[in-house]
Amino acid sequence: MRFFIDLRRSLREAMVVFRRNGLVSLGCIVISTVALFSFSVILLMAVYVRFGTISIGDRLNVTAFLEATLTHEEVNTILVRIRHLPETKDAVYVSPEEALRELKSKFHDLEIDASPIPPSVRITPGDTAYVPVLIAQLTELEGVSSVTDITEAASNFFGIVQIGTILGIALLLIFFAGFLFIVSASTGISIYSFRREIEIMQLVGASRTFVQNPFIILGSLYGLIGALLSSLFLIPSYQRIDNFYHAFIAFDPIPLDEYNILSRIILLALLVGLATGWISAKQSVRRYLK
Amino acid sequence: MKKGFEAKNSSILIAKDLVKTYPPYQKAVNRISFSVEKGEFVFIVGKSGAGKTTLFRLLSKQEEADSGQIFINGNDITRIPPKRGYLVRRELGVVYQDFKLIHYKTVYENISYALEVQSVPDRKIRKKVDEVLQVVELSHKRKALPLTLSGGEQQRVAIARALVNRPLILFADEPTGNLDWDTSWEILKLFMAINCQGTTIVMATHNEKLLQLMKLRTIVLEQGKKTDEIFY
Ligand SMILES: Nc1ncnc2c1ncn2[C@@H]1O[C@H](COP(=O)(O)OP(=O)(O)OP(=O)(O)O)[C@@H](O)[C@H]1O
Ligand SMILES: [Mg+2]
């Protein structure tokens, strides 16, 4: 009861502070919106890249081509040995006839009579990181003539992801430093412009907490409003990223919609905005209100 | 702040050897001692810079004394940590020469603010504010903003705000300093009426005419020291 009485009164004072420093308050909201929007977008992209990695990783098969002269028994022995490798998740034998059929269905116009393709084993690695080891092991095997090397493609992909992650984190740090800085600076300005009222508050017996609360509430409000605005901008961005992802990865083994990614990120942005605003205002109040 | 009294039972305020030095070595208050009885009306006089305002700031714990003790109703408030000084101020009323009203709040809101900071519910606030507005005869101006009022009216708002807590002592630091003689006299009559209701009042002034008219106990300060105490 007492808590709500105080909260209502502090909110009212916070609104007075907000209005008196209108331009500074607006600046705070803009910057917190930008910071939280980039936070949400970068987080969203990170989630999609992670899902993308998993589903691309699923398709990073290694193919070992066998010598055409091998007998059935010899092929079977090789298949068993490959299946026993610790890096192998699954291995399937593909006969020259099957390979030809696949090829024909992919390229309709192509006229192929005799089979130019040797028999092969298609291997799914247990993890994309095992690919180089797996290739090395397969090349050693007797009866294997060659192995498709996809290490470069895989490492390129992961390199891009890594650079993206570093860039994203750097951007986030910059935006959040700006967010923290502007909220604490504006709190300082507000306290200064309210020094007369603060003196009067203390004169009539306001506790330290009572004097500080409007400024801290205001800082938290900047974060909260910023988070709400950034969520509004996030919805169209989310749809774009989602469309792009589905166009890029046509077959998606992960049912993304079940994760409620958007609402989770919005909730997180609200919490982060509130916390960041609160912390910046709090430390500024501690510095300027003795 | 209700019990545990050691000296005379009726002394509501006792100051003992108060010292306050401003950097580098300006002794604004220099070993001042005095006491005030319950229900008394005491004057403090002194030239500009004698230390009157500093003394009030110490007594209301807006500032901490370097040494000495202050007993209010028997409790040594110098032993209360500054962080909890607001609890002392809730028991006191303080009125200044420059009124110290909040300009964006109405008369009513300025007075109610002294109760709002104590988490008093609105219903109780309304009753108490209405009462003091009647005491200072400003009920009709309750919705006015301070800057639309005359100096005398503004001071009456400040007095109402100081009274709304039913203070143990009312400190007034040159409350008539910014007012002409007629208005000053009106304000003084208001203080006398409040005093007659039982509120202890300590008032600083350098208005000689008022002192001569009132003939009340007067503490004289000079360069931070108490040099005389006049009993009429
Ligand atoms: N915050 C401060 N810092 C430094 N010196 C101060 C401060 N406040 C007051 N003083 C000094 O302390 C002395 C007493 O000041 P004080 O304001 O108490 O006098 P006063 O009796 O109220 O004067 P006046 O009648 O002009 O209001 C003065 O010499 C003043 O310069
Ligand atoms: Mg003074």
Side-chain angles (χ1 to χ4, degrees), chain B residues 105-173:
Chain B
K105 287 182 186 288
T106 63
V107 166
Y108 179 92
E109 288 165 346
N110 263 286
I111 300 169
S112 70
Y113 203 52
L115 297 169
E116 283 185 10
V117 302
Q118 299 184 40
S119 314
V120 179
D122 289 345
R123 196 170 20 86
K124 285 190 186 160
I125 289 181
R126 199 168 314 133
K127 196 166 152 279
K128 292 187 174 191
V129 175
D130 284 345
E131 270 174 34
V132 288
L133 274 173
Q134 270 172 19
V135 173
V136 300
E137 294 172 4
L138 276 179
S139 299
H140 59 293
K141 293 274 189 180
R142 57 196 304 136
K143 286 193 179 130
L145 289 172
L147 292 182
T148 66
L149 301 177
S150 72
E153 286 169 330
Q154 288 186 51
Q155 192 56 291
R156 269 146 63 197
V157 178
I159 293 168
R161 183 182 62 193
L163 282 180
V164 79
N165 268 327
R166 303 188 171 280
L168 291 168
I169 309 168
L170 183 58
F171 292 120
D173 187 6

Side-chain angles (χ1 to χ4, degrees), chain A residues 134-145:
Chain A
L134 191 61
I135 289 171
Q137 301 232 25
L138 290 170
T139 326
E140 301 273 288
L141 277 181
E142 216 171 290
V144 173
S145 61

Side-chain angles (χ1 to χ4, degrees), chain B residues 8 10-15 32-45 169 195 200-205 210-221 226 228-232:
Chain B
K8 268 186 291 179
S10 55
S11 291
I12 199 158
L13 171 68
I14 301 171
I32 291 182
S33 301
F34 65 94
S35 70
V36 175
E37 303 303 299
K38 206 172 195 147
E40 220 185 340
F41 195 145
V42 180
F43 277 112
I44 295 181
V45 290
I169 309 168
N195 181 240
T200 311
I201 297 177
V202 181
M203 183 187 292
T205 186
L210 275 184
L211 289 171
Q212 294 305 322
L213 269 167
M214 301 286 291
K215 292 208 187 307
L216 291 168
R217 181 157 75 98
T218 304
I219 294 164
V220 185
L221 301 187
K226 183 174 125 180
D228 202 0
E229 198 165 336
I230 305 162
F231 298 87
Y232 286 96

Side-chain angles (χ1 to χ4, degrees), chain B residues 18-52:
Chain B
L18 285 181
V19 176
K20 177 73 188 178
T21 313
Y22 284 115
Y25 28 70
Q26 169 73 41
K27 277 215 154 75
V29 166
N30 194 355
R31 297 183 66 86
I32 291 182
S33 301
F34 65 94
S35 70
V36 175
E37 303 303 299
K38 206 172 195 147
E40 220 185 340
F41 195 145
V42 180
F43 277 112
I44 295 181
V45 290
K47 290 200 196 74
S48 185
K52 305 180 292 291

